[in-house]
Every structure is written in structure tokens, then in C-alpha cells.
Amino acid sequence: MPIDNRFTIKKIQKLQGFFTAFSPLTRMPYVACDPETFDDQVYIFTTEALCGDFAKTLGEQQIPATPLNIPQPQMNGFLASLYSLDVNMVVFLDDAGEARIPVEELAKGPDMEKVAASKIPIMNPQLTLTMIYFLQELRRPVKHDLPHLHELEDEMIANLVKAPLILALETVDDEKDTAPEKVDRKNIRIPFIKSKEGDIYQPIYSDFTEFRKYAGPKAMKMRMSNLSIKQLPQFLIKDSKGFVLNPAGVNLVLTTKQLERILKDRA
């Protein structure tokens, strides 16, 4: 029998804000897979103290997390953004206890026909979720369960190979078509990032939101190309060590050697 969540949903809607557990390992909300239901879930709390207790428990497992305040004007946007993470469940905790609420009961989902029809990826939920799971585990300061870590990596790579990606280009005014195979290389500038060590990497993005998050005000002056992982090597610039996927988010580094291995084995 389905659980009636209407009372809890109204309680959430009346809040002046809530807290969620934020992962510094991915710079995104902490996501967990429920071991019994296999729901992909995030956690929200009515108070910072409750969220802090949860973060402390995670810390005891060597899973870094901190409370992140989501004020009332941003609540709906946060809940709607969970679709882009492929999260299907929200675990709500207050002084009365815990409630599990499907995301679809809290926020309206996107029009998937429009998402699929878009030339530039608006969302890349399966890739985003598998990157979160892999990097939450990889970046923990612990001795890893290598078979489990490799399993998470394989799932991420499988989604990376089939996912559309965004490469942002700076073009001259008369360059109208930025499809990768049609761009005149003389009329473009491909941005790059320098690491602390001075190594050059090129930013790429899983979706439009990640592009805007990193590009900021510069986004209006840039043009986006939709391309696959197979097309990335042709856009490597001189001295580039590879690519950085979602530099303002998960910041996943793909070196040229890693890219070659992925293309050889999977693409």
C-alpha cells in the first residue's frame, strides 16, 4: 500500500528553508544508494544541528560532509535539480523522525521530450550520478575496496562513453556553426585551465547547468558544441594534458592516457 506523504510534504513546503548534506569530494549534495530499496537518495533536515549530526556520522565512516543551508526561495529549485542527478528519493528528517518521499511527489520533473530533443545536453543524469558515486568513494581518505571501486568506475565510464558532452568555444563573430566537424579551427579559441603544477587541461561539461556554473558571466560570449568522447582528441591543444569534466562540480580529470585507454577499450 502506497504511503500517504501529503502531511510531510505540506510540512516541508511551510519551512523557511532546510539543510542538506554537502559533499566536498564532489562539490554536490551527498548521495547514497539505499542498500535495501536501491533508491538513489539525498537527505534534507529541518535544522543545522540534525544535519550536523548526520555529517558527523558520515565523518566517522571517513565520508566528508558538511551542512548546506537551502533557503526557502531556493527550495523548489533544489528539489527539481535532483532529477539532473538521477536521484529518485528524498529522506526527510526532523525532530519527529524520518520520512521517505519520492522526488516526483516534491517537484515536477522536466519535459523529457524537450530534454532529448535539445542540441546541447540540458541534463546528463545517469552520467552525473555515476560520477558522484565513483568520486565520493575514490576521494575518501581510506584504504579502498578495489573491486567495488572498479565497479563504480566501470559504471561511470559506460555512461561517459554514450553521453553527449559540451565543449565551449570562443569564436569570431562570423562563425555561425559550431558543430565540431564544421568549425573552422582558425576562427576559434579553445579555453584551458592551469593546475597548481602548471599543467594545462581543457574544460568540458556534462550539461548546460555545469557550463553556466563554471563560465559565469563569460558564458554569453561563448558558443557550445555538442560532441562525444570519441571527438575529444581532435580538440586537444598544444601541451594539453587532457580534459577536466565539470570543473566547478565534480572536477573529474581525464588525462590523455586515460582517454586513450577508454577509447581503445570502450568506444
Side-chain angles (χ1 to χ4, degrees), residues 186-233:
K186 296 179 181 179
N187 294 333
I188 64 172
R189 177 184 176 274
I190 301 176
F192 63 85
I193 299 169
K194 273 194 175 182
S195 69
K196 294 180 180 178
E197 295 76 24
D199 294 328
I200 291 175
Y201 292 92
Q202 297 164 232
I204 53 175
Y205 313 91
S206 63
D207 54 74
F208 181 71
T209 299
E210 287 294 334
F211 163 67
R212 289 295 299 269
K213 189 191 299 183
Y214 180 75
K218 294 182 180 179
M220 299 300 294
K221 299 180 181 180
M222 304 178 76
R223 301 188 184 182
M224 295 173 288
S225 286
N226 180 350
L227 73 170
S228 69
I229 192 172
K230 294 180 182 180
Q231 294 170 296
L232 289 179

mmCIF file of all heavy atoms in Angstrom, residues 186-233:
data_model
loop_
_atom_site.group_PDB
_atom_site.id
_atom_site.type_symbol
_atom_site.label_atom_id
_atom_site.label_comp_id
_atom_site.label_asym_id
_atom_site.label_seq_id
_atom_site.Cartn_x
_atom_site.Cartn_y
_atom_site.Cartn_z
ATOM 1 N N LYS A 186 40.694 27.996 -37.471
ATOM 2 C CA LYS A 186 41.362 29.295 -37.474
ATOM 3 C C LYS A 186 40.529 30.359 -36.766
ATOM 4 O O LYS A 186 41.058 31.397 -36.367
ATOM 5 C CB LYS A 186 41.627 29.745 -38.914
ATOM 6 C CG LYS A 186 42.594 28.849 -39.681
ATOM 7 C CD LYS A 186 42.767 29.350 -41.095
ATOM 8 C CE LYS A 186 43.711 28.440 -41.883
ATOM 9 N NZ LYS A 186 43.859 28.913 -43.287
ATOM 10 N N ASN A 187 39.221 30.094 -36.628
ATOM 11 C CA ASN A 187 38.315 31.100 -36.073
ATOM 12 C C ASN A 187 37.859 30.799 -34.643
ATOM 13 O O ASN A 187 36.883 31.376 -34.175
ATOM 14 C CB ASN A 187 37.083 31.244 -36.965
ATOM 15 C CG ASN A 187 37.424 31.812 -38.323
ATOM 16 O OD1 ASN A 187 38.404 32.541 -38.466
ATOM 17 N ND2 ASN A 187 36.629 31.487 -39.321
ATOM 18 N N ILE A 188 38.547 29.880 -33.987
ATOM 19 C CA ILE A 188 38.116 29.536 -32.641
ATOM 20 C C ILE A 188 39.281 29.613 -31.653
ATOM 21 O O ILE A 188 40.451 29.521 -32.026
ATOM 22 C CB ILE A 188 37.505 28.117 -32.569
ATOM 23 C CG1 ILE A 188 38.563 27.061 -32.900
ATOM 24 C CG2 ILE A 188 36.301 28.002 -33.472
ATOM 25 C CD1 ILE A 188 38.090 25.646 -32.671
ATOM 26 N N ARG A 189 38.915 29.779 -30.387
ATOM 27 C CA ARG A 189 39.861 29.677 -29.277
ATOM 28 C C ARG A 189 39.276 28.692 -28.291
ATOM 29 O O ARG A 189 38.125 28.841 -27.870
ATOM 30 C CB ARG A 189 40.090 31.028 -28.613
ATOM 31 C CG ARG A 189 41.015 30.955 -27.399
ATOM 32 C CD ARG A 189 41.151 32.297 -26.707
ATOM 33 N NE ARG A 189 41.961 32.181 -25.501
ATOM 34 C CZ ARG A 189 41.470 31.829 -24.306
ATOM 35 N NH1 ARG A 189 40.181 31.557 -24.169
ATOM 36 N NH2 ARG A 189 42.269 31.750 -23.248
ATOM 37 N N ILE A 190 40.039 27.675 -27.953
ATOM 38 C CA ILE A 190 39.568 26.665 -27.009
ATOM 39 C C ILE A 190 40.119 26.993 -25.623
ATOM 40 O O ILE A 190 41.343 27.010 -25.430
ATOM 41 C CB ILE A 190 40.003 25.255 -27.443
ATOM 42 C CG1 ILE A 190 39.455 24.942 -28.837
ATOM 43 C CG2 ILE A 190 39.524 24.213 -26.434
ATOM 44 C CD1 ILE A 190 39.909 23.612 -29.397
ATOM 45 N N PRO A 191 39.254 27.279 -24.650
ATOM 46 C CA PRO A 191 39.728 27.652 -23.306
ATOM 47 C C PRO A 191 40.499 26.509 -22.637
ATOM 48 O O PRO A 191 40.306 25.333 -22.959
ATOM 49 C CB PRO A 191 38.422 27.937 -22.549
ATOM 50 C CG PRO A 191 37.403 28.199 -23.611
ATOM 51 C CD PRO A 191 37.789 27.336 -24.760
ATOM 52 N N PHE A 192 41.330 26.851 -21.676
ATOM 53 C CA PHE A 192 42.055 25.842 -20.919
ATOM 54 C C PHE A 192 42.198 26.303 -19.476
ATOM 55 O O PHE A 192 41.991 27.472 -19.136
ATOM 56 C CB PHE A 192 43.426 25.552 -21.541
ATOM 57 C CG PHE A 192 44.371 26.717 -21.565
ATOM 58 C CD1 PHE A 192 45.173 27.015 -20.461
ATOM 59 C CD2 PHE A 192 44.458 27.535 -22.681
ATOM 60 C CE1 PHE A 192 46.049 28.091 -20.476
ATOM 61 C CE2 PHE A 192 45.335 28.614 -22.710
ATOM 62 C CZ PHE A 192 46.125 28.894 -21.606
ATOM 63 N N ILE A 193 42.550 25.354 -18.628
ATOM 64 C CA ILE A 193 42.749 25.583 -17.200
ATOM 65 C C ILE A 193 44.172 25.166 -16.860
ATOM 66 O O ILE A 193 44.663 24.157 -17.366
ATOM 67 C CB ILE A 193 41.762 24.734 -16.361
ATOM 68 C CG1 ILE A 193 40.319 25.097 -16.684
ATOM 69 C CG2 ILE A 193 42.032 24.894 -14.871
ATOM 70 C CD1 ILE A 193 39.319 24.115 -16.093
ATOM 71 N N LYS A 194 44.825 25.928 -15.971
ATOM 72 C CA LYS A 194 46.152 25.546 -15.494
ATOM 73 C C LYS A 194 46.040 25.035 -14.064
ATOM 74 O O LYS A 194 45.439 25.674 -13.205
ATOM 75 C CB LYS A 194 47.124 26.729 -15.556
ATOM 76 C CG LYS A 194 47.826 26.883 -16.888
ATOM 77 C CD LYS A 194 49.002 27.834 -16.774
ATOM 78 C CE LYS A 194 49.789 27.888 -18.076
ATOM 79 N NZ LYS A 194 50.975 28.773 -17.978
ATOM 80 N N SER A 195 46.621 23.879 -13.832
ATOM 81 C CA SER A 195 46.640 23.320 -12.483
ATOM 82 C C SER A 195 47.670 24.048 -11.633
ATOM 83 O O SER A 195 48.455 24.865 -12.133
ATOM 84 C CB SER A 195 46.985 21.831 -12.541
ATOM 85 O OG SER A 195 48.341 21.664 -12.935
ATOM 86 N N LYS A 196 47.705 23.753 -10.344
ATOM 87 C CA LYS A 196 48.688 24.360 -9.452
ATOM 88 C C LYS A 196 50.112 24.025 -9.879
ATOM 89 O O LYS A 196 51.039 24.789 -9.618
ATOM 90 C CB LYS A 196 48.449 23.893 -8.007
ATOM 91 C CG LYS A 196 47.142 24.377 -7.403
ATOM 92 C CD LYS A 196 46.976 23.868 -5.991
ATOM 93 C CE LYS A 196 45.682 24.349 -5.363
ATOM 94 N NZ LYS A 196 45.490 23.824 -3.989
ATOM 95 N N GLU A 197 50.248 22.891 -10.545
ATOM 96 C CA GLU A 197 51.571 22.473 -11.010
ATOM 97 C C GLU A 197 51.925 23.090 -12.358
ATOM 98 O O GLU A 197 53.016 22.850 -12.887
ATOM 99 C CB GLU A 197 51.632 20.942 -11.110
ATOM 100 C CG GLU A 197 51.506 20.209 -9.779
ATOM 101 C CD GLU A 197 50.076 20.186 -9.265
ATOM 102 O OE1 GLU A 197 49.149 20.309 -10.093
ATOM 103 O OE2 GLU A 197 49.894 20.058 -8.040
ATOM 104 N N GLY A 198 50.981 23.848 -12.939
ATOM 105 C CA GLY A 198 51.232 24.472 -14.223
ATOM 106 C C GLY A 198 50.810 23.649 -15.424
ATOM 107 O O GLY A 198 51.033 24.050 -16.573
ATOM 108 N N ASP A 199 50.189 22.477 -15.189
ATOM 109 C CA ASP A 199 49.725 21.633 -16.289
ATOM 110 C C ASP A 199 48.449 22.206 -16.899
ATOM 111 O O ASP A 199 47.604 22.773 -16.197
ATOM 112 C CB ASP A 199 49.458 20.209 -15.793
ATOM 113 C CG ASP A 199 50.735 19.508 -15.355
ATOM 114 O OD1 ASP A 199 51.792 19.792 -15.945
ATOM 115 O OD2 ASP A 199 50.670 18.683 -14.418
ATOM 116 N N ILE A 200 48.314 22.037 -18.194
ATOM 117 C CA ILE A 200 47.168 22.561 -18.927
ATOM 118 C C ILE A 200 46.119 21.469 -19.144
ATOM 119 O O ILE A 200 46.445 20.364 -19.607
ATOM 120 C CB ILE A 200 47.609 23.136 -20.294
ATOM 121 C CG1 ILE A 200 48.434 24.410 -20.087
ATOM 122 C CG2 ILE A 200 46.406 23.424 -21.197
ATOM 123 C CD1 ILE A 200 49.012 24.976 -21.371
ATOM 124 N N TYR A 201 44.877 21.773 -18.805
ATOM 125 C CA TYR A 201 43.741 20.891 -19.065
ATOM 126 C C TYR A 201 42.626 21.729 -19.698
ATOM 127 O O TYR A 201 42.550 22.938 -19.497
ATOM 128 C CB TYR A 201 43.234 20.242 -17.776
ATOM 129 C CG TYR A 201 44.199 19.245 -17.180
ATOM 130 C CD1 TYR A 201 45.137 19.643 -16.233
ATOM 131 C CD2 TYR A 201 44.189 17.917 -17.575
ATOM 132 C CE1 TYR A 201 46.048 18.743 -15.695
ATOM 133 C CE2 TYR A 201 45.086 16.997 -17.038
ATOM 134 C CZ TYR A 201 46.010 17.413 -16.099
ATOM 135 O OH TYR A 201 46.901 16.523 -15.572
ATOM 136 N N GLN A 202 41.760 21.067 -20.434
ATOM 137 C CA GLN A 202 40.683 21.765 -21.127
ATOM 138 C C GLN A 202 39.332 21.419 -20.502
ATOM 139 O O GLN A 202 39.028 20.237 -20.312
ATOM 140 C CB GLN A 202 40.691 21.373 -22.612
ATOM 141 C CG GLN A 202 41.958 21.796 -23.324
ATOM 142 C CD GLN A 202 42.126 21.092 -24.652
ATOM 143 O OE1 GLN A 202 43.162 20.497 -24.931
ATOM 144 N NE2 GLN A 202 41.106 21.153 -25.500
ATOM 145 N N PRO A 203 38.524 22.424 -20.155
ATOM 146 C CA PRO A 203 37.238 22.152 -19.522
ATOM 147 C C PRO A 203 36.201 21.623 -20.511
ATOM 148 O O PRO A 203 36.084 22.126 -21.629
ATOM 149 C CB PRO A 203 36.819 23.519 -18.976
ATOM 150 C CG PRO A 203 37.502 24.499 -19.881
ATOM 151 C CD PRO A 203 38.803 23.860 -20.279
ATOM 152 N N ILE A 204 35.468 20.611 -20.099
ATOM 153 C CA ILE A 204 34.299 20.107 -20.812
ATOM 154 C C ILE A 204 33.186 19.930 -19.787
ATOM 155 O O ILE A 204 33.437 19.933 -18.577
ATOM 156 C CB ILE A 204 34.574 18.789 -21.554
ATOM 157 C CG1 ILE A 204 35.166 17.738 -20.593
ATOM 158 C CG2 ILE A 204 35.476 19.009 -22.761
ATOM 159 C CD1 ILE A 204 35.343 16.369 -21.227
ATOM 160 N N TYR A 205 31.957 19.758 -20.267
ATOM 161 C CA TYR A 205 30.808 19.802 -19.366
ATOM 162 C C TYR A 205 29.793 18.715 -19.733
ATOM 163 O O TYR A 205 29.606 18.386 -20.902
ATOM 164 C CB TYR A 205 30.140 21.178 -19.430
ATOM 165 C CG TYR A 205 31.126 22.316 -19.349
ATOM 166 C CD1 TYR A 205 31.670 22.861 -20.514
ATOM 167 C CD2 TYR A 205 31.561 22.806 -18.128
ATOM 168 C CE1 TYR A 205 32.607 23.886 -20.461
ATOM 169 C CE2 TYR A 205 32.498 23.833 -18.068
ATOM 170 C CZ TYR A 205 33.019 24.369 -19.239
ATOM 171 O OH TYR A 205 33.962 25.376 -19.180
ATOM 172 N N SER A 206 29.145 18.192 -18.708
ATOM 173 C CA SER A 206 28.129 17.162 -18.926
ATOM 174 C C SER A 206 26.784 17.748 -19.317
ATOM 175 O O SER A 206 25.953 17.059 -19.902
ATOM 176 C CB SER A 206 27.953 16.309 -17.660
ATOM 177 O OG SER A 206 27.473 17.107 -16.582
ATOM 178 N N ASP A 207 26.567 19.028 -18.991
ATOM 179 C CA ASP A 207 25.265 19.634 -19.273
ATOM 180 C C ASP A 207 25.368 21.157 -19.196
ATOM 181 O O ASP A 207 26.393 21.707 -18.766
ATOM 182 C CB ASP A 207 24.201 19.120 -18.289
ATOM 183 C CG ASP A 207 24.601 19.299 -16.842
ATOM 184 O OD1 ASP A 207 24.571 20.453 -16.366
ATOM 185 O OD2 ASP A 207 24.970 18.310 -16.188
ATOM 186 N N PHE A 208 24.296 21.807 -19.613
ATOM 187 C CA PHE A 208 24.282 23.263 -19.707
ATOM 188 C C PHE A 208 24.463 23.926 -18.340
ATOM 189 O O PHE A 208 25.154 24.946 -18.219
ATOM 190 C CB PHE A 208 22.965 23.727 -20.335
ATOM 191 C CG PHE A 208 22.862 25.214 -20.493
ATOM 192 C CD1 PHE A 208 23.621 25.881 -21.437
ATOM 193 C CD2 PHE A 208 22.008 25.953 -19.686
ATOM 194 C CE1 PHE A 208 23.540 27.265 -21.580
ATOM 195 C CE2 PHE A 208 21.915 27.336 -19.825
ATOM 196 C CZ PHE A 208 22.684 27.986 -20.763
ATOM 197 N N THR A 209 23.876 23.358 -17.298
ATOM 198 C CA THR A 209 23.995 23.934 -15.960
ATOM 199 C C THR A 209 25.442 23.957 -15.498
ATOM 200 O O THR A 209 25.906 24.955 -14.922
ATOM 201 C CB THR A 209 23.141 23.153 -14.948
ATOM 202 O OG1 THR A 209 21.763 23.218 -15.340
ATOM 203 C CG2 THR A 209 23.280 23.720 -13.544
ATOM 204 N N GLU A 210 26.179 22.870 -15.743
ATOM 205 C CA GLU A 210 27.585 22.831 -15.359
ATOM 206 C C GLU A 210 28.412 23.841 -16.150
ATOM 207 O O GLU A 210 29.340 24.446 -15.614
ATOM 208 C CB GLU A 210 28.146 21.419 -15.552
ATOM 209 C CG GLU A 210 27.658 20.419 -14.515
ATOM 210 C CD GLU A 210 28.158 20.716 -13.118
ATOM 211 O OE1 GLU A 210 29.219 21.354 -12.975
ATOM 212 O OE2 GLU A 210 27.481 20.321 -12.149
ATOM 213 N N PHE A 211 28.061 24.031 -17.424
ATOM 214 C CA PHE A 211 28.748 25.037 -18.230
ATOM 215 C C PHE A 211 28.536 26.426 -17.648
ATOM 216 O O PHE A 211 29.482 27.187 -17.448
ATOM 217 C CB PHE A 211 28.241 24.982 -19.672
ATOM 218 C CG PHE A 211 28.577 26.203 -20.481
ATOM 219 C CD1 PHE A 211 29.893 26.503 -20.815
ATOM 220 C CD2 PHE A 211 27.575 27.068 -20.898
ATOM 221 C CE1 PHE A 211 30.205 27.641 -21.555
ATOM 222 C CE2 PHE A 211 27.877 28.203 -21.642
ATOM 223 C CZ PHE A 211 29.194 28.495 -21.963
ATOM 224 N N ARG A 212 27.279 26.772 -17.331
ATOM 225 C CA ARG A 212 26.979 28.099 -16.777
ATOM 226 C C ARG A 212 27.616 28.269 -15.406
ATOM 227 O O ARG A 212 28.072 29.362 -15.058
ATOM 228 C CB ARG A 212 25.466 28.296 -16.687
ATOM 229 C CG ARG A 212 24.762 28.476 -18.020
ATOM 230 C CD ARG A 212 25.195 29.758 -18.709
ATOM 231 N NE ARG A 212 24.893 30.937 -17.943
ATOM 232 C CZ ARG A 212 23.764 31.625 -18.042
ATOM 233 N NH1 ARG A 212 22.818 31.251 -18.899
ATOM 234 N NH2 ARG A 212 23.565 32.702 -17.310
ATOM 235 N N LYS A 213 27.651 27.207 -14.634
ATOM 236 C CA LYS A 213 28.229 27.271 -13.291
ATOM 237 C C LYS A 213 29.706 27.670 -13.349
ATOM 238 O O LYS A 213 30.189 28.454 -12.536
ATOM 239 C CB LYS A 213 28.085 25.901 -12.602
ATOM 240 C CG LYS A 213 28.460 25.895 -11.130
ATOM 241 C CD LYS A 213 28.553 24.475 -10.591
ATOM 242 C CE LYS A 213 27.246 23.728 -10.687
ATOM 243 N NZ LYS A 213 27.363 22.369 -10.076
ATOM 244 N N TYR A 214 30.426 27.140 -14.326
ATOM 245 C CA TYR A 214 31.852 27.433 -14.431
ATOM 246 C C TYR A 214 32.127 28.716 -15.213
ATOM 247 O O TYR A 214 32.957 29.538 -14.814
ATOM 248 C CB TYR A 214 32.590 26.271 -15.107
ATOM 249 C CG TYR A 214 34.074 26.520 -15.237
ATOM 250 C CD1 TYR A 214 34.903 26.422 -14.123
ATOM 251 C CD2 TYR A 214 34.634 26.881 -16.456
ATOM 252 C CE1 TYR A 214 36.268 26.672 -14.219
ATOM 253 C CE2 TYR A 214 35.996 27.136 -16.565
ATOM 254 C CZ TYR A 214 36.805 27.029 -15.444
ATOM 255 O OH TYR A 214 38.148 27.296 -15.545
ATOM 256 N N ALA A 215 31.422 28.900 -16.333
ATOM 257 C CA ALA A 215 31.712 30.038 -17.210
ATOM 258 C C ALA A 215 31.248 31.361 -16.616
ATOM 259 O O ALA A 215 31.852 32.404 -16.859
ATOM 260 C CB ALA A 215 31.068 29.815 -18.572
ATOM 261 N N GLY A 216 30.166 31.342 -15.833
ATOM 262 C CA GLY A 216 29.670 32.562 -15.210
ATOM 263 C C GLY A 216 29.327 33.632 -16.238
ATOM 264 O O GLY A 216 28.727 33.342 -17.276
ATOM 265 N N PRO A 217 29.738 34.874 -16.008
ATOM 266 C CA PRO A 217 29.425 35.969 -16.941
ATOM 267 C C PRO A 217 30.012 35.764 -18.343
ATOM 268 O O PRO A 217 29.501 36.305 -19.318
ATOM 269 C CB PRO A 217 30.050 37.194 -16.269
ATOM 270 C CG PRO A 217 30.173 36.829 -14.828
ATOM 271 C CD PRO A 217 30.439 35.361 -14.808
ATOM 272 N N LYS A 218 31.081 34.979 -18.451
ATOM 273 C CA LYS A 218 31.705 34.743 -19.749
ATOM 274 C C LYS A 218 30.847 33.858 -20.655
ATOM 275 O O LYS A 218 31.102 33.763 -21.861
ATOM 276 C CB LYS A 218 33.078 34.086 -19.564
ATOM 277 C CG LYS A 218 34.108 34.968 -18.872
ATOM 278 C CD LYS A 218 35.436 34.255 -18.773
ATOM 279 C CE LYS A 218 36.484 35.119 -18.090
ATOM 280 N NZ LYS A 218 37.790 34.425 -17.971
ATOM 281 N N ALA A 219 29.839 33.192 -20.081
ATOM 282 C CA ALA A 219 29.031 32.248 -20.853
ATOM 283 C C ALA A 219 28.370 32.904 -22.057
ATOM 284 O O ALA A 219 28.237 32.281 -23.114
ATOM 285 C CB ALA A 219 27.969 31.618 -19.954
ATOM 286 N N MET A 220 27.969 34.168 -21.920
ATOM 287 C CA MET A 220 27.276 34.853 -23.003
ATOM 288 C C MET A 220 28.186 35.090 -24.211
ATOM 289 O O MET A 220 27.712 35.296 -25.328
ATOM 290 C CB MET A 220 26.709 36.185 -22.509
ATOM 291 C CG MET A 220 25.689 36.045 -21.389
ATOM 292 S SD MET A 220 24.251 35.053 -21.876
ATOM 293 C CE MET A 220 23.545 36.125 -23.138
ATOM 294 N N LYS A 221 29.496 35.080 -23.996
ATOM 295 C CA LYS A 221 30.443 35.341 -25.079
ATOM 296 C C LYS A 221 30.961 34.056 -25.712
ATOM 297 O O LYS A 221 31.796 34.097 -26.609
ATOM 298 C CB LYS A 221 31.616 36.159 -24.545
ATOM 299 C CG LYS A 221 31.230 37.523 -23.993
ATOM 300 C CD LYS A 221 32.444 38.264 -23.478
ATOM 301 C CE LYS A 221 32.056 39.618 -22.906
ATOM 302 N NZ LYS A 221 33.245 40.350 -22.391
ATOM 303 N N MET A 222 30.471 32.919 -25.250
ATOM 304 C CA MET A 222 30.985 31.636 -25.718
ATOM 305 C C MET A 222 29.897 30.853 -26.446
ATOM 306 O O MET A 222 28.707 31.070 -26.230
ATOM 307 C CB MET A 222 31.547 30.826 -24.544
ATOM 308 C CG MET A 222 32.622 31.555 -23.771
ATOM 309 S SD MET A 222 33.248 30.629 -22.355
ATOM 310 C CE MET A 222 34.271 29.433 -23.187
ATOM 311 N N ARG A 223 30.333 29.960 -27.287
ATOM 312 C CA ARG A 223 29.408 29.097 -28.016
ATOM 313 C C ARG A 223 29.707 27.650 -27.660
ATOM 314 O O ARG A 223 30.861 27.282 -27.448
ATOM 315 C CB ARG A 223 29.528 29.333 -29.521
ATOM 316 C CG ARG A 223 29.233 30.781 -29.878
ATOM 317 C CD ARG A 223 29.153 30.992 -31.364
ATOM 318 N NE ARG A 223 28.965 32.411 -31.666
ATOM 319 C CZ ARG A 223 28.826 32.895 -32.893
ATOM 320 N NH1 ARG A 223 28.832 32.079 -33.927
ATOM 321 N NH2 ARG A 223 28.671 34.184 -33.086
ATOM 322 N N MET A 224 28.658 26.857 -27.620
ATOM 323 C CA MET A 224 28.797 25.482 -27.162
ATOM 324 C C MET A 224 28.697 24.501 -28.312
ATOM 325 O O MET A 224 27.855 24.649 -29.192
ATOM 326 C CB MET A 224 27.718 25.171 -26.127
ATOM 327 C CG MET A 224 27.834 25.971 -24.850
ATOM 328 S SD MET A 224 26.423 25.691 -23.751
ATOM 329 C CE MET A 224 25.144 26.585 -24.659
ATOM 330 N N SER A 225 29.545 23.495 -28.264
ATOM 331 C CA SER A 225 29.487 22.397 -29.220
ATOM 332 C C SER A 225 29.119 21.119 -28.487
ATOM 333 O O SER A 225 29.646 20.824 -27.411
ATOM 334 C CB SER A 225 30.836 22.205 -29.914
ATOM 335 O OG SER A 225 31.067 23.212 -30.851
ATOM 336 N N ASN A 226 28.212 20.372 -29.078
ATOM 337 C CA ASN A 226 27.810 19.077 -28.552
ATOM 338 C C ASN A 226 28.686 18.020 -29.226
ATOM 339 O O ASN A 226 28.716 17.924 -30.449
ATOM 340 C CB ASN A 226 26.328 18.853 -28.883
ATOM 341 C CG ASN A 226 25.822 17.515 -28.375
ATOM 342 O OD1 ASN A 226 26.583 16.668 -27.947
ATOM 343 N ND2 ASN A 226 24.522 17.321 -28.448
ATOM 344 N N LEU A 227 29.418 17.248 -28.441
ATOM 345 C CA LEU A 227 30.284 16.246 -29.033
ATOM 346 C C LEU A 227 30.362 15.022 -28.140
ATOM 347 O O LEU A 227 29.939 15.050 -26.980
ATOM 348 C CB LEU A 227 31.672 16.812 -29.289
ATOM 349 C CG LEU A 227 32.619 17.074 -28.115
ATOM 350 C CD1 LEU A 227 34.011 17.404 -28.633
ATOM 351 C CD2 LEU A 227 32.138 18.206 -27.230
ATOM 352 N N SER A 228 30.879 13.942 -28.693
ATOM 353 C CA SER A 228 31.031 12.696 -27.951
ATOM 354 C C SER A 228 32.465 12.550 -27.471
ATOM 355 O O SER A 228 33.370 13.271 -27.912
ATOM 356 C CB SER A 228 30.665 11.505 -28.846
ATOM 357 O OG SER A 228 31.632 11.353 -29.864
ATOM 358 N N ILE A 229 32.687 11.587 -26.605
ATOM 359 C CA ILE A 229 34.032 11.369 -26.090
ATOM 360 C C ILE A 229 34.987 10.977 -27.220
ATOM 361 O O ILE A 229 36.186 11.270 -27.167
ATOM 362 C CB ILE A 229 34.014 10.295 -24.974
ATOM 363 C CG1 ILE A 229 35.364 10.280 -24.245
ATOM 364 C CG2 ILE A 229 33.669 8.927 -25.521
ATOM 365 C CD1 ILE A 229 35.373 9.402 -23.012
ATOM 366 N N LYS A 230 34.457 10.340 -28.284
ATOM 367 C CA LYS A 230 35.298 9.952 -29.417
ATOM 368 C C LYS A 230 35.878 11.169 -30.137
ATOM 369 O O LYS A 230 36.933 11.077 -30.761
ATOM 370 C CB LYS A 230 34.486 9.126 -30.412
ATOM 371 C CG LYS A 230 34.017 7.779 -29.901
ATOM 372 C CD LYS A 230 33.216 7.062 -30.972
ATOM 373 C CE LYS A 230 32.696 5.734 -30.474
ATOM 374 N NZ LYS A 230 31.900 5.023 -31.512
ATOM 375 N N GLN A 231 35.181 12.298 -30.063
ATOM 376 C CA GLN A 231 35.619 13.500 -30.776
ATOM 377 C C GLN A 231 36.599 14.362 -29.978
ATOM 378 O O GLN A 231 37.184 15.297 -30.520
ATOM 379 C CB GLN A 231 34.394 14.338 -31.163
ATOM 380 C CG GLN A 231 33.485 13.658 -32.170
ATOM 381 C CD GLN A 231 32.182 14.413 -32.343
ATOM 382 O OE1 GLN A 231 31.395 14.526 -31.410
ATOM 383 N NE2 GLN A 231 31.962 14.944 -33.534
ATOM 384 N N LEU A 232 36.773 14.064 -28.698
ATOM 385 C CA LEU A 232 37.623 14.903 -27.867
ATOM 386 C C LEU A 232 39.074 15.004 -28.352
ATOM 387 O O LEU A 232 39.646 16.103 -28.344
ATOM 388 C CB LEU A 232 37.597 14.409 -26.410
ATOM 389 C CG LEU A 232 36.311 14.639 -25.616
ATOM 390 C CD1 LEU A 232 36.462 14.066 -24.211
ATOM 391 C CD2 LEU A 232 35.958 16.125 -25.547
ATOM 392 N N PRO A 233 39.712 13.901 -28.762
ATOM 393 C CA PRO A 233 41.126 14.013 -29.140
ATOM 394 C C PRO A 233 41.408 15.046 -30.224
ATOM 395 O O PRO A 233 42.478 15.677 -30.208
ATOM 396 C CB PRO A 233 41.470 12.593 -29.617
ATOM 397 C CG PRO A 233 40.539 11.713 -28.844
ATOM 398 C CD PRO A 233 39.259 12.500 -28.775
#
